[in-house]
Amino acid sequence: MNTVYLNGQFVAAQDARVSVFDRGFLFGDSIYEVIPYYRGVGFRLEEHLQRLSHSLRAVRIDAEADWIAIMDELVLRNGGGNLSVYLQVSRGNAGKRSAVYSDDLEPTVFACCNPIRDIYQDGADQVQGIRAIVVADQRWLRCDIKATGLLPNILVLQQARDHGADEALLIRDQLLTEGTSSNLFIVKHGVLYTPKRSSEILGGITRELVLDLADENGIQYQEIDIDYETLISADEVWISSSTRAVVPVIEVDNQPVADGAKGPLWRQMFELFAGYQRRLMTGE
Ligand code: PMP
């Protein structure tokens, strides 16, 4: 079942080998994408491929491949169904450790699958609200690039776990940016708010879809600066990501968000999201 893709070949995970001189391993000189597949069908593929191109261009890795063919085949070889594809491209293996690189390196392309839940099949009642803490955003200033150097994200996520929370929300210069692996939304008086798109956050594919769905369905939204006070006095807080979709945050820094229940606008967005997903998957 666990087949991975590495540099042109589909192999059993235990047989996949990457050099110790791969720049992804030595320097985190690599970028990645995570793309959900539901019932074997890729979700928002074009958008993910655009972001992949953006990341590659931004770090000047010159890699071309039929990404869709690779991912479709990988999903098929792993039994189809509900899977996320992790796709990583590193600058490659220079045969030595040296920060400088030459442009003739062959990028290393790796992809693997992970099972994901189709929460829209289960329904809104099955979704658990999560707890979050707020911590300083200590990442670099190019968070629009989906780079694999995730040490700041990993450390604060672990800090969140140590506090019995599920996600850390990041704050820089008094303003909330996003979660360690998610974008942030709040609701106040029926209006949806999310931090402005900038190089300080990842341009989330789910974030864009939420805003599109809001737009199409008459939900008022605004991209604004969100400070801590605004966050903790919100009526609803959500996070979004490709593997979790839209999840309500019911507690921030040990304080309930409003009455601590999943909010009505979240429910509405969940249903809109579910409808969108169903149409895409069934081709209706
Ligand atoms: N921000 C960060 C830092 C992330 O790692 C992710 C997950 N890819 C997101 C936001 C959400 O992006 P998407 O909706 O494209 O998964």
Side-chain angles (χ1 to χ4, degrees), residues 32 48 51 139 146 153 178-183 202-207 240-242:
Y32 72 109
H48 282 282
R51 189 171 63 190
R139 302 172 303 162
K146 207 158 165 55
N153 309 52
E178 58 182 341
T180 65
S181 62
S182 57
N183 289 113
L202 185 74
I205 308 299
T206 321
R207 175 186 180 280
S240 71
S241 84
S242 290

Side-chain angles (χ1 to χ4, degrees), residues 266-281:
W266 171 78
R267 266 180 204 277
Q268 188 185 350
M269 183 53 69
F270 183 93
E271 295 307 334
L272 292 172
F273 216 106
Y276 176 86
Q277 200 199 48
R278 212 173 297 122
R279 283 194 299 281
L280 210 68
M281 297 302 114

Side-chain angles (χ1 to χ4, degrees), residues 250-264:
I250 53 169
E251 199 179 291
V252 174
D253 284 345
N254 292 317
Q255 299 298 317
V257 174
D259 61 0
K262 296 181 278 192

